[in-house]
Amino acid sequence: MSQEEYIAEQSKKGDRNAQRQLYERYAGWLLGVCLRYVGRQDVAEDLLQDVFIHILTHMQQFHWQGEGSLKAWLFRVQQNIILQYIRKKEDVFSLDDNPQLAQDIPEPENVNTIPRGVLLKMISELPLGYRTVFNLFVIDGLSHREIAQKLGIKEKSSASQLVHARRLLAEQINNWKKENL
């Protein structure tokens, strides 16, 4: 039995030591994901607490399917809680249903010159709706249809949010490059 499976099975049984190990093993990673979506440390920490409360009270719903299945389940639980929080925010998503292709998106080789921490900070500074769709599409690999379903918006709104996010990021990247390269 792997360490991940042991932690999962013992956590299901209410073993406090296993639950502590679960927290210690995954809290840092989950906090990073929260920060990527909400961009504020205090909000991310509150969401992380909500995530672990949900995880520990719903651990019976988890079914071991091999190495990595616990981490995948934790991510899905967390993503649902984060998106639920974001959907409650008013006026997060624009009503622009006519996305235009972004002409000024930097090439990947230009983005690769920016330190990861700087790029993550740029993403965290995007408006909430833009940042949410950007994370779901670019980083998590969801389609606009899946994003629309998760957020309760139109597919075109998802596409529009992504275009706007990319344009803002392009501006930030270009400004950073002018100042630092």
Side-chain angles (χ1 to χ4, degrees), residues 118-132:
V118 172
L119 192 56
L120 289 174
K121 184 174 184 326
M122 289 177 187
I123 293 169
S124 75
E125 292 171 349
L126 291 171
L128 184 59
Y130 297 177
R131 181 174 58 239
T132 302

Side-chain angles (χ1 to χ4, degrees), residues 86-162:
I86 290 170
R87 280 191 302 265
K88 289 180 183 176
K89 302 296 246 175
E90 292 183 34
D91 300 324
V92 172
F93 300 98
S94 84
L95 300 177
D96 179 5
D97 285 341
N98 299 311
Q100 302 297 317
L101 292 177
Q103 302 293 328
D104 53 355
I105 298 174
E107 295 298 321
E109 59 270 11
N110 292 331
V111 174
N112 291 337
T113 63
I114 299 174
R116 185 174 188 269
V118 172
L119 192 56
L120 289 174
K121 184 174 184 326
M122 289 177 187
I123 293 169
S124 75
E125 292 171 349
L126 291 171
L128 184 59
Y130 297 177
R131 181 174 58 239
T132 302
V133 171
F134 182 86
N135 279 312
L136 291 169
F137 187 86
V138 174
I139 298 174
D140 296 337
L142 274 63
S143 69
H144 287 299
R145 174 173 287 162
E146 293 168 316
I147 293 168
Q149 290 171 346
K150 286 186 174 285
L151 297 176
I153 60 175
K154 295 179 184 178
E155 285 181 54
K156 288 182 178 182
S157 292
S158 174
S160 172
Q161 294 288 312
L162 181 62

Side-chain angles (χ1 to χ4, degrees), residues 30-31 33-35 37-54 78 81-86:
L30 291 170
L31 179 62
V33 174
C34 285
L35 277 168
Y37 275 92
V38 298
R40 288 187 39 204
Q41 183 78 26
D42 59 333
V43 175
E45 289 171 356
D46 288 346
L47 284 171
L48 180 66
Q49 181 179 353
D50 293 345
V51 166
F52 268 99
I53 289 170
H54 186 90
Q78 178 188 41
I81 289 172
I82 291 169
L83 295 180
Q84 184 179 47
Y85 165 80
I86 290 170

